[in-house]
Amino acid sequence: MMNKNVRIALAALVAAGLFAGCLLVSGQITIVQEFDDDSGAAASQVYYLSVDLNENDDYADHKDKIKSLEAFGFVVKITNGGNIAARGEGYLSLSPITPLPTDRDDILAAKIPRIFYVSDPIDPGEFRNITFEMSQDYIENFDDIDEAIKDGEIYLYGVTDQNTLVKYEDFKLIATINVEI
């Protein structure tokens, strides 16, 4: 049970905050960005996505009140259509890389952060359904993602570690954002 002095101190802080008008209320919004089913990448190619969160009404309504990124991940079915096991990785930039990178070496030369790495390879002819929870094991450089979410425009570059066709189906990025209300 809380002692009397602690209760008085808490009541005084709340009253002071209300009197001063500085009591902030926070909430969360979740943004889901869906992409076409016909996307894919190979080691000799770069899979490129441009995401403008400003086109999302919830994001646009709260952009000036964003405090931080709470959670970030993705949902996707990945199919390896080639003949060799492959891993995927994704990179993020706040502005488009020009000219558009054509391979992994171009991505590395751009010195942009890697934000996910699917560390366990997908065998040839196999697929994997990655849930939001599973994607949490693959996410890296959360601070860079947080900055990009606050910016509102994200440029994503995906590659595989082998020269094999990898197809992404029902690909969705999901971000839960803390906002002031």
PDB file of all heavy atoms in Angstrom, residues 89-111:
ATOM      1  N   GLU A  89      18.047 -10.117 -47.364  1.00  0.00           N
ATOM      2  CA  GLU A  89      18.378  -8.995 -46.493  1.00  0.00           C
ATOM      3  C   GLU A  89      17.803  -7.727 -47.104  1.00  0.00           C
ATOM      4  O   GLU A  89      17.617  -7.635 -48.304  1.00  0.00           O
ATOM      5  CB  GLU A  89      19.875  -8.881 -46.250  1.00  0.00           C
ATOM      6  CG  GLU A  89      20.734  -8.783 -47.476  1.00  0.00           C
ATOM      7  CD  GLU A  89      22.224  -8.902 -47.168  1.00  0.00           C
ATOM      8  OE1 GLU A  89      22.643  -8.663 -46.030  1.00  0.00           O
ATOM      9  OE2 GLU A  89      22.970  -9.236 -48.093  1.00  0.00           O
ATOM     10  N   GLY A  90      17.493  -6.758 -46.233  1.00  0.00           N
ATOM     11  CA  GLY A  90      16.905  -5.516 -46.686  1.00  0.00           C
ATOM     12  C   GLY A  90      17.632  -4.321 -46.107  1.00  0.00           C
ATOM     13  O   GLY A  90      18.128  -4.365 -44.973  1.00  0.00           O
ATOM     14  N   TYR A  91      17.695  -3.256 -46.891  1.00  0.00           N
ATOM     15  CA  TYR A  91      18.394  -2.032 -46.515  1.00  0.00           C
ATOM     16  C   TYR A  91      17.430  -0.862 -46.639  1.00  0.00           C
ATOM     17  O   TYR A  91      16.486  -0.903 -47.420  1.00  0.00           O
ATOM     18  CB  TYR A  91      19.608  -1.824 -47.418  1.00  0.00           C
ATOM     19  CG  TYR A  91      20.655  -2.889 -47.224  1.00  0.00           C
ATOM     20  CD1 TYR A  91      20.550  -4.131 -47.839  1.00  0.00           C
ATOM     21  CD2 TYR A  91      21.753  -2.648 -46.405  1.00  0.00           C
ATOM     22  CE1 TYR A  91      21.506  -5.109 -47.639  1.00  0.00           C
ATOM     23  CE2 TYR A  91      22.719  -3.624 -46.206  1.00  0.00           C
ATOM     24  CZ  TYR A  91      22.579  -4.848 -46.821  1.00  0.00           C
ATOM     25  OH  TYR A  91      23.527  -5.822 -46.607  1.00  0.00           O
ATOM     26  N   LEU A  92      17.707   0.201 -45.891  1.00  0.00           N
ATOM     27  CA  LEU A  92      16.802   1.343 -45.822  1.00  0.00           C
ATOM     28  C   LEU A  92      17.562   2.636 -46.064  1.00  0.00           C
ATOM     29  O   LEU A  92      18.674   2.818 -45.592  1.00  0.00           O
ATOM     30  CB  LEU A  92      16.167   1.369 -44.428  1.00  0.00           C
ATOM     31  CG  LEU A  92      15.354   2.580 -44.044  1.00  0.00           C
ATOM     32  CD1 LEU A  92      14.154   2.117 -43.242  1.00  0.00           C
ATOM     33  CD2 LEU A  92      16.181   3.514 -43.196  1.00  0.00           C
ATOM     34  N   SER A  93      16.913   3.551 -46.785  1.00  0.00           N
ATOM     35  CA  SER A  93      17.483   4.872 -47.022  1.00  0.00           C
ATOM     36  C   SER A  93      16.377   5.915 -46.865  1.00  0.00           C
ATOM     37  O   SER A  93      15.212   5.639 -47.131  1.00  0.00           O
ATOM     38  CB  SER A  93      18.071   4.939 -48.431  1.00  0.00           C
ATOM     39  OG  SER A  93      18.581   6.219 -48.703  1.00  0.00           O
ATOM     40  N   LEU A  94      16.765   7.122 -46.436  1.00  0.00           N
ATOM     41  CA  LEU A  94      15.805   8.223 -46.319  1.00  0.00           C
ATOM     42  C   LEU A  94      15.614   8.948 -47.648  1.00  0.00           C
ATOM     43  O   LEU A  94      14.722   9.778 -47.780  1.00  0.00           O
ATOM     44  CB  LEU A  94      16.267   9.212 -45.251  1.00  0.00           C
ATOM     45  CG  LEU A  94      16.304   8.667 -43.827  1.00  0.00           C
ATOM     46  CD1 LEU A  94      16.834   9.722 -42.867  1.00  0.00           C
ATOM     47  CD2 LEU A  94      14.939   8.183 -43.395  1.00  0.00           C
ATOM     48  N   SER A  95      16.469   8.663 -48.604  1.00  0.00           N
ATOM     49  CA  SER A  95      16.324   9.247 -49.932  1.00  0.00           C
ATOM     50  C   SER A  95      16.685   8.173 -50.954  1.00  0.00           C
ATOM     51  O   SER A  95      17.433   7.246 -50.646  1.00  0.00           O
ATOM     52  CB  SER A  95      17.228  10.480 -50.091  1.00  0.00           C
ATOM     53  OG  SER A  95      18.568  10.130 -49.870  1.00  0.00           O
ATOM     54  N   PRO A  96      16.156   8.285 -52.161  1.00  0.00           N
ATOM     55  CA  PRO A  96      16.441   7.256 -53.159  1.00  0.00           C
ATOM     56  C   PRO A  96      17.918   7.267 -53.555  1.00  0.00           C
ATOM     57  O   PRO A  96      18.550   8.323 -53.623  1.00  0.00           O
ATOM     58  CB  PRO A  96      15.544   7.628 -54.334  1.00  0.00           C
ATOM     59  CG  PRO A  96      15.149   9.038 -54.122  1.00  0.00           C
ATOM     60  CD  PRO A  96      15.272   9.333 -52.663  1.00  0.00           C
ATOM     61  N   ILE A  97      18.441   6.090 -53.787  1.00  0.00           N
ATOM     62  CA  ILE A  97      19.818   5.968 -54.265  1.00  0.00           C
ATOM     63  C   ILE A  97      19.772   6.081 -55.786  1.00  0.00           C
ATOM     64  O   ILE A  97      19.020   5.365 -56.451  1.00  0.00           O
ATOM     65  CB  ILE A  97      20.431   4.619 -53.857  1.00  0.00           C
ATOM     66  CG1 ILE A  97      20.458   4.490 -52.332  1.00  0.00           C
ATOM     67  CG2 ILE A  97      21.813   4.464 -54.444  1.00  0.00           C
ATOM     68  CD1 ILE A  97      20.869   3.117 -51.845  1.00  0.00           C
ATOM     69  N   THR A  98      20.550   7.004 -56.331  1.00  0.00           N
ATOM     70  CA  THR A  98      20.612   7.157 -57.787  1.00  0.00           C
ATOM     71  C   THR A  98      22.062   7.048 -58.240  1.00  0.00           C
ATOM     72  O   THR A  98      22.937   7.608 -57.591  1.00  0.00           O
ATOM     73  CB  THR A  98      20.036   8.511 -58.242  1.00  0.00           C
ATOM     74  OG1 THR A  98      20.672   9.546 -57.514  1.00  0.00           O
ATOM     75  CG2 THR A  98      18.554   8.569 -57.991  1.00  0.00           C
ATOM     76  N   PRO A  99      22.307   6.343 -59.303  1.00  0.00           N
ATOM     77  CA  PRO A  99      21.328   5.523 -60.014  1.00  0.00           C
ATOM     78  C   PRO A  99      20.887   4.349 -59.140  1.00  0.00           C
ATOM     79  O   PRO A  99      21.559   3.998 -58.171  1.00  0.00           O
ATOM     80  CB  PRO A  99      22.080   5.045 -61.248  1.00  0.00           C
ATOM     81  CG  PRO A  99      23.522   5.068 -60.860  1.00  0.00           C
ATOM     82  CD  PRO A  99      23.662   6.179 -59.866  1.00  0.00           C
ATOM     83  N   LEU A 100      19.753   3.756 -59.489  1.00  0.00           N
ATOM     84  CA  LEU A 100      19.215   2.631 -58.743  1.00  0.00           C
ATOM     85  C   LEU A 100      20.263   1.517 -58.672  1.00  0.00           C
ATOM     86  O   LEU A 100      20.829   1.133 -59.694  1.00  0.00           O
ATOM     87  CB  LEU A 100      17.936   2.115 -59.414  1.00  0.00           C
ATOM     88  CG  LEU A 100      17.208   0.989 -58.693  1.00  0.00           C
ATOM     89  CD1 LEU A 100      16.697   1.480 -57.329  1.00  0.00           C
ATOM     90  CD2 LEU A 100      16.060   0.477 -59.528  1.00  0.00           C
ATOM     91  N   PRO A 101      20.546   1.025 -57.474  1.00  0.00           N
ATOM     92  CA  PRO A 101      21.544  -0.051 -57.352  1.00  0.00           C
ATOM     93  C   PRO A 101      21.123  -1.276 -58.160  1.00  0.00           C
ATOM     94  O   PRO A 101      19.941  -1.587 -58.263  1.00  0.00           O
ATOM     95  CB  PRO A 101      21.537  -0.383 -55.848  1.00  0.00           C
ATOM     96  CG  PRO A 101      20.899   0.775 -55.186  1.00  0.00           C
ATOM     97  CD  PRO A 101      19.985   1.401 -56.181  1.00  0.00           C
ATOM     98  N   THR A 102      22.108  -1.956 -58.724  1.00  0.00           N
ATOM     99  CA  THR A 102      21.803  -3.146 -59.517  1.00  0.00           C
ATOM    100  C   THR A 102      22.205  -4.431 -58.815  1.00  0.00           C
ATOM    101  O   THR A 102      21.793  -5.501 -59.223  1.00  0.00           O
ATOM    102  CB  THR A 102      22.505  -3.078 -60.886  1.00  0.00           C
ATOM    103  OG1 THR A 102      23.912  -2.961 -60.677  1.00  0.00           O
ATOM    104  CG2 THR A 102      21.990  -1.896 -61.693  1.00  0.00           C
ATOM    105  N   ASP A 103      23.039  -4.331 -57.769  1.00  0.00           N
ATOM    106  CA  ASP A 103      23.436  -5.543 -57.061  1.00  0.00           C
ATOM    107  C   ASP A 103      23.815  -5.221 -55.616  1.00  0.00           C
ATOM    108  O   ASP A 103      23.809  -4.059 -55.207  1.00  0.00           O
ATOM    109  CB  ASP A 103      24.576  -6.263 -57.777  1.00  0.00           C
ATOM    110  CG  ASP A 103      25.833  -5.423 -57.933  1.00  0.00           C
ATOM    111  OD1 ASP A 103      26.074  -4.508 -57.112  1.00  0.00           O
ATOM    112  OD2 ASP A 103      26.588  -5.684 -58.876  1.00  0.00           O
ATOM    113  N   ARG A 104      24.141  -6.251 -54.868  1.00  0.00           N
ATOM    114  CA  ARG A 104      24.450  -6.087 -53.444  1.00  0.00           C
ATOM    115  C   ARG A 104      25.650  -5.170 -53.229  1.00  0.00           C
ATOM    116  O   ARG A 104      25.692  -4.401 -52.269  1.00  0.00           O
ATOM    117  CB  ARG A 104      24.696  -7.460 -52.810  1.00  0.00           C
ATOM    118  CG  ARG A 104      24.859  -7.408 -51.310  1.00  0.00           C
ATOM    119  CD  ARG A 104      24.887  -8.819 -50.706  1.00  0.00           C
ATOM    120  NE  ARG A 104      24.891  -8.747 -49.265  1.00  0.00           N
ATOM    121  CZ  ARG A 104      25.985  -8.671 -48.534  1.00  0.00           C
ATOM    122  NH1 ARG A 104      27.167  -8.631 -49.107  1.00  0.00           N
ATOM    123  NH2 ARG A 104      25.906  -8.615 -47.214  1.00  0.00           N
ATOM    124  N   ASP A 105      26.640  -5.237 -54.103  1.00  0.00           N
ATOM    125  CA  ASP A 105      27.817  -4.372 -53.967  1.00  0.00           C
ATOM    126  C   ASP A 105      27.427  -2.894 -54.034  1.00  0.00           C
ATOM    127  O   ASP A 105      27.966  -2.067 -53.303  1.00  0.00           O
ATOM    128  CB  ASP A 105      28.859  -4.692 -55.037  1.00  0.00           C
ATOM    129  CG  ASP A 105      29.528  -6.040 -54.803  1.00  0.00           C
ATOM    130  OD1 ASP A 105      29.502  -6.530 -53.649  1.00  0.00           O
ATOM    131  OD2 ASP A 105      30.067  -6.604 -55.770  1.00  0.00           O
ATOM    132  N   ASP A 106      26.476  -2.550 -54.908  1.00  0.00           N
ATOM    133  CA  ASP A 106      26.001  -1.160 -54.993  1.00  0.00           C
ATOM    134  C   ASP A 106      25.324  -0.736 -53.690  1.00  0.00           C
ATOM    135  O   ASP A 106      25.488   0.397 -53.233  1.00  0.00           O
ATOM    136  CB  ASP A 106      24.999  -0.996 -56.142  1.00  0.00           C
ATOM    137  CG  ASP A 106      25.639  -1.098 -57.522  1.00  0.00           C
ATOM    138  OD1 ASP A 106      26.882  -1.013 -57.619  1.00  0.00           O
ATOM    139  OD2 ASP A 106      24.876  -1.259 -58.492  1.00  0.00           O
ATOM    140  N   ILE A 107      24.557  -1.658 -53.107  1.00  0.00           N
ATOM    141  CA  ILE A 107      23.880  -1.361 -51.837  1.00  0.00           C
ATOM    142  C   ILE A 107      24.921  -1.109 -50.746  1.00  0.00           C
ATOM    143  O   ILE A 107      24.833  -0.132 -49.996  1.00  0.00           O
ATOM    144  CB  ILE A 107      22.958  -2.528 -51.419  1.00  0.00           C
ATOM    145  CG1 ILE A 107      21.855  -2.739 -52.432  1.00  0.00           C
ATOM    146  CG2 ILE A 107      22.408  -2.325 -50.011  1.00  0.00           C
ATOM    147  CD1 ILE A 107      20.751  -1.742 -52.407  1.00  0.00           C
ATOM    148  N   LEU A 108      25.917  -1.978 -50.655  1.00  0.00           N
ATOM    149  CA  LEU A 108      26.954  -1.819 -49.631  1.00  0.00           C
ATOM    150  C   LEU A 108      27.748  -0.532 -49.843  1.00  0.00           C
ATOM    151  O   LEU A 108      28.111   0.147 -48.884  1.00  0.00           O
ATOM    152  CB  LEU A 108      27.882  -3.036 -49.605  1.00  0.00           C
ATOM    153  CG  LEU A 108      27.208  -4.353 -49.215  1.00  0.00           C
ATOM    154  CD1 LEU A 108      28.192  -5.505 -49.329  1.00  0.00           C
ATOM    155  CD2 LEU A 108      26.605  -4.281 -47.829  1.00  0.00           C
ATOM    156  N   ALA A 109      28.006  -0.176 -51.093  1.00  0.00           N
ATOM    157  CA  ALA A 109      28.744   1.056 -51.395  1.00  0.00           C
ATOM    158  C   ALA A 109      27.960   2.297 -50.971  1.00  0.00           C
ATOM    159  O   ALA A 109      28.545   3.325 -50.625  1.00  0.00           O
ATOM    160  CB  ALA A 109      29.068   1.121 -52.891  1.00  0.00           C
ATOM    161  N   ALA A 110      26.624   2.200 -50.961  1.00  0.00           N
ATOM    162  CA  ALA A 110      25.789   3.335 -50.569  1.00  0.00           C
ATOM    163  C   ALA A 110      25.841   3.573 -49.057  1.00  0.00           C
ATOM    164  O   ALA A 110      25.415   4.622 -48.585  1.00  0.00           O
ATOM    165  CB  ALA A 110      24.348   3.103 -51.011  1.00  0.00           C
ATOM    166  N   LYS A 111      26.343   2.606 -48.311  1.00  0.00           N
ATOM    167  CA  LYS A 111      26.508   2.715 -46.848  1.00  0.00           C
ATOM    168  C   LYS A 111      25.209   3.089 -46.143  1.00  0.00           C
ATOM    169  O   LYS A 111      25.166   3.968 -45.294  1.00  0.00           O
ATOM    170  CB  LYS A 111      27.626   3.683 -46.500  1.00  0.00           C
ATOM    171  CG  LYS A 111      28.952   3.216 -47.044  1.00  0.00           C
ATOM    172  CD  LYS A 111      30.083   4.104 -46.648  1.00  0.00           C
ATOM    173  CE  LYS A 111      31.312   3.491 -47.289  1.00  0.00           C
ATOM    174  NZ  LYS A 111      32.526   4.025 -46.998  1.00  0.00           N
TER     175      LYS A 111
END
